[in-house]
Each structure stands twice: as structure tokens, then as C-alpha cells.
Amino acid sequence: MVRPLTPVFSQAILNWYDQQGRHDLPWRQTISAYRVWVSEIMLQQTQVTTVLPYFQRFMQRFPELANLAAADEEEVLVHWAGLGYYSRARNLHRTARHLMQAYQGQFPQTVTQLQALPGIGRSTAGAIASIAFQQPAPILDGNVKRVLARWAGIAGWPGKNAVAEQLWHWATTLLPTTRAADYTQAMMDLGAMVCTRQQPQCNRCPIQQGCVAFRDQTQALYPTKKLKKMIPQKSLVLLLLRDARQRILLIKRPPTGIWGGLWSLPESTTPEAALHEGKIRYGCELTHHQIWPKVQHTLTHFHLEITPIIAHVTRWQPPLMENTKLIWQPISQHEDKALPAPVKRLIQQLKGNTHD
Ligand code: SF4
């Protein structure tokens, strides 16, 4: 197969982008390194449609880097809660502070300098450098990996160094010398809109000519999937301790591990143990309780089966517990706290349930 020359490849993609690209995305309306960075971090492992409302809310509250740096981590997490992968929010916050202190609140402009910042990998650095600063820098997010793996016929799981190197090679080789920002966005859009994971729309693809996967009709084989491991199942009991003033007991989780730094519910392994801990560990006098139907929640490395128990607290004595941050939070104001998605759903259910 005769491959189109590099300028032909990038020109075809840029022409397509001019007509079909997603020019109305909010982070493309007003472009700054800060907005590109936040959007890129939110978009990691998350769909654009999910990110849109989070991005808007985040920008309303933290319109500039300085606002983010000056905020409490707790407030940043509240604006992130529901997007998952909370270490992204903590890194964002840490990096904002670092940029204020070490770079006078300005983003560095080269890929090397950007990559040296916490939480910014090579692809995110490339996106910021190209979109915000018009540097000809390659990116390799999930969408671009798929496009290039199919177009160049690169087999093997992209998580392997040797495969990633080939993909980076093509991402770099195909870069145009002008319109760096548009080209990066065009590649992202092509992967998201045309060269989709399922049923790519090759008939409207600007780089169909020269595409190995199209020629061989092997689109489904690229990129090669990682061999699947069985995801283990874990179970957990979550205790909703509600007092007569319609407040709920929340516990601050440690900064690392599952739901790190978020507020959550007391947890245990069995309903009996949870009720026992409610009394002994958290100092609650309980009347009746109810076990709710189990709920399922999937995290990166395991499925979680949650058994919720709602227990009514008549009296509470501050427990003799050391080093644990507890708070009685009004149920009606639960959105003020950064909560893991399943905990938030349970409290919303509790709020709407008048029969308990
Ligand atoms: Fe993807 Fe099809 Fe375009 Fe090849 S021709 S890059 S498989 S959409």
C-alpha cells in the first residue's frame, strides 16, 4: 500500500476537522493552558458527555489557576465527587499550588517542562503544549492510540513499551508543521467520532486511504486488548447512622486507598459487626435498624457488593476514638461534602425515604 505523505495525512484530518470537529466544547471556546489541563485530566478514563457539566461547575468555582490553588482540598474534591479516580483531583490541586509557588502562576510551555509537573504525563503535556501554546507536540490518548494503531496496523497491547514506542513514532512523524492546536483536537475528535471503538465509520473517514485496518477489514483487531484478568468481587457493609435531627454520621477516609480523602460511612464486614461498631466504636445508642437491598458498584480493580444498613440513633456520645475525623452532617446538606458516588446515592435514597 502506498502511504499518503505526512502533509497529506494531516491536511486531510485538518480539512475534516474544519467541517466536522467539535468546535463548541467549552474548553475550546476560551483556550488557556489552565482550561486545557483541567479538561484533559477530567477526560482521562471519562467520556466527554460525563465531563461537560463537571467542567462547567469547576470553572465557575475555580475560573483561574490561582482560585484552584487557594481552595481547600475538600472543596476541590466536592467539585470532583462523582467523576471517580480522586487522585486526579488531588494532583490537580497540588500542581496548581506548585505552579503558583514555582512558576508565578504561569504554565511552562514545553513538553519537557510540563511533563516534570506532578500528574502530567507525556500525552497531557503534548495536549497543553500544542493546544495552548501552538507547539508541534504529539499526543497519544486512548482515541489517538486507536486511530494510529488501525491506520498503521500496529498490533500488540499499547500498554507495552515496544507497542507504545511505535505509536509515539507515528504520532510524531505525522505531525504537521502548522496548526498544532487544531491538529491535536482533530485527532482527538477523529477517534471519538469516526474511528470509534465499535463500528468505526470508515466511509466518512478522511484517512481511509492508506489505512491498514480498512484495507484488511481488521478494524476490530486494533488496538490489541489487554488480556483480561478476572476482576475480584468484594463485599462491604455500609452503616447509615441517622439521628433524630436528620443528620448522618460521616467519616473522613485516609488520603490514600479506595475513596481516598472523601467522606464516607462507617463500614464493616457483616451487618452484626456494623451494628456492634455503631454502638461501641462510634458511641451511638441505636433503636431499630433496617437492612436495605444490596447494591453493586465497580471500581478499577474490583466489583463491590454493598449491603446498606440504616440505623436510628437516639443518643450519641463522642467515642473514645483517636485519629478519626467524624462529622454529623445534615442529610439535606450532604452535597456539601465530597462523597463517593455509591454513598451519595444511598444518602439521596435515605433523604427521599420517609418510611424509615
Ligand atoms: Fe479508523 Fe476506518 Fe479511518 Fe481506518 S479508515 S482510521 S479504521 S475510521
Side-chain angles (χ1 to χ4, degrees):
M1 174 177 289
V2 180
R3 290 194 167 281
L5 297 171
T6 300
V8 178
F9 179 97
S10 53
Q11 197 52 55
I13 286 182
L14 284 165
N15 290 346
W16 171 84
Y17 177 70
D18 288 340
Q19 288 163 20
Q20 315 270 336
R22 297 175 295 181
H23 303 281
D24 54 348
L25 292 174
W27 46 89
R28 293 184 184 172
Q29 297 276 301
T30 312
I31 291 183
S32 71
Y34 172 62
R35 289 167 67 85
V36 173
W37 172 53
V38 172
S39 68
E40 282 297 306
I41 302 294
M42 284 188 172
L43 286 164
Q44 288 167 5
Q45 285 116 355
T46 315
Q47 301 274 334
V48 166
T49 44
T50 308
V51 164
L52 282 171
Y54 282 93
F55 182 81
Q56 307 276 34
R57 269 202 306 273
F58 202 89
M59 284 300 149
Q60 270 164 18
R61 173 57 191 90
F62 313 113
E64 303 287 343
L65 184 75
N67 308 114
L68 179 59
D72 284 344
E73 183 182 278
E74 175 72 28
E75 204 188 349
V76 179
L77 288 170
V78 166
H79 283 77
W80 200 273
L83 266 180
Y85 303 98
Y86 296 96
S87 58
R88 293 184 298 173
R90 282 193 297 273
N91 273 337
L92 210 59
H93 187 227
R94 250 199 309 276
T95 305
R97 291 190 162 177
H98 178 65
L99 282 166
M100 292 305 292
Q101 283 160 11
Y103 290 85
Q104 293 81 46
Q106 301 296 315
F107 276 81
Q109 300 196 5
T110 68
V111 170
T112 314
Q113 289 170 313
L114 285 162
Q115 242 185 291
L117 297 171
I120 297 190
R122 185 173 171 188
S123 186
T124 304
I128 299 170
S130 60
I131 299 173
F133 302 121
Q134 291 289 351
Q135 309 271 342
I139 63 156
L140 201 58
D141 67 3
N143 283 325
V144 177
K145 278 180 194 160
R146 189 167 57 251
V147 172
L148 293 178
R150 285 174 176 166
W151 185 82
I154 297 169
W157 176 52
K160 281 192 177 163
N161 285 346
V163 180
E165 258 172 46
Q166 289 184 64
L167 291 167
W168 277 113
H169 163 78
W170 279 109
T172 310
T173 306
L174 294 166
L175 280 178
T177 49
T178 57
R179 298 189 64 189
D182 287 346
Y183 179 75
T184 289
Q185 294 170 146
M187 286 296 283
M188 291 172 172
D189 286 5
L190 192 71
M193 300 163 69
V194 176
C195 194
T196 45
R197 206 179 305 256
Q198 311 284 345
Q199 298 176 329
Q201 297 174 44
C202 301
N203 55 346
R204 47 181 286 245
C205 178
I207 52 167
Q208 184 200 85
Q209 199 195 5
C211 175
V212 169
F214 176 73
R215 180 197 65 190
D216 300 343
Q217 289 298 295
T218 51
Q219 295 92 329
L221 300 183
Y222 301 101
T224 308
K225 292 185 183 62
K226 188 182 180 184
L227 277 180
K228 269 206 172 155
K229 279 197 214 138
M230 285 289 289
I231 301 183
Q233 168 107 12
K234 294 188 181 180
S235 53
L236 181 70
V237 175
L238 288 180
L239 185 59
L240 294 108
L241 291 165
R242 179 167 78 176
D243 74 0
R245 292 165 59 191
Q246 303 305 322
R247 298 178 308 173
I248 188 125
L249 186 71
L250 296 178
I251 299 175
K252 182 86 162 171
R253 295 190 63 88
T256 52
I258 165 181
W259 302 331
L262 303 193
W263 289 92
S264 188
L265 299 165
E267 62 182 60
S268 197
T269 47
T270 65
E272 297 72 30
L275 291 167
H276 182 72
E277 286 200 20
K279 290 175 199 157
I280 306 301
R281 193 158 180 215
Y282 300 110
C284 295
E285 275 182 30
L286 306 176
T287 54
H288 58 293
H289 68 268
Q290 224 180 33
I291 300 180
W292 281 357
K294 292 183 191 329
V295 291
Q296 303 290 334
H297 184 72
T298 296
L299 291 146
T300 328
H301 301 300
F302 51 89
H303 297 298
L304 206 53
E305 184 187 68
I306 300 170
T307 305
I309 305 185
I310 159 83
H312 299 266
V313 178
T314 45
R315 257 166 37 126
W316 182 69
Q317 292 178 337
L320 301 170
M321 286 181 47
E322 51 326 307
N323 303 329
T324 302
K325 223 168 153 186
L326 305 174
I327 190 171
W328 283 96
Q329 180 72 6
I331 294 171
S332 58
Q333 291 163 24
H334 69 281
E335 305 231 356
D336 295 350
K337 293 284 171 217
L339 304 168
V343 171
K344 189 171 174 181
R345 278 197 292 274
L346 287 173
I347 297 177
Q348 278 165 343
Q349 195 180 336
L350 184 64
K351 197 175 155 191
N353 194 338
T354 52
H355 307 295
D356 290 313

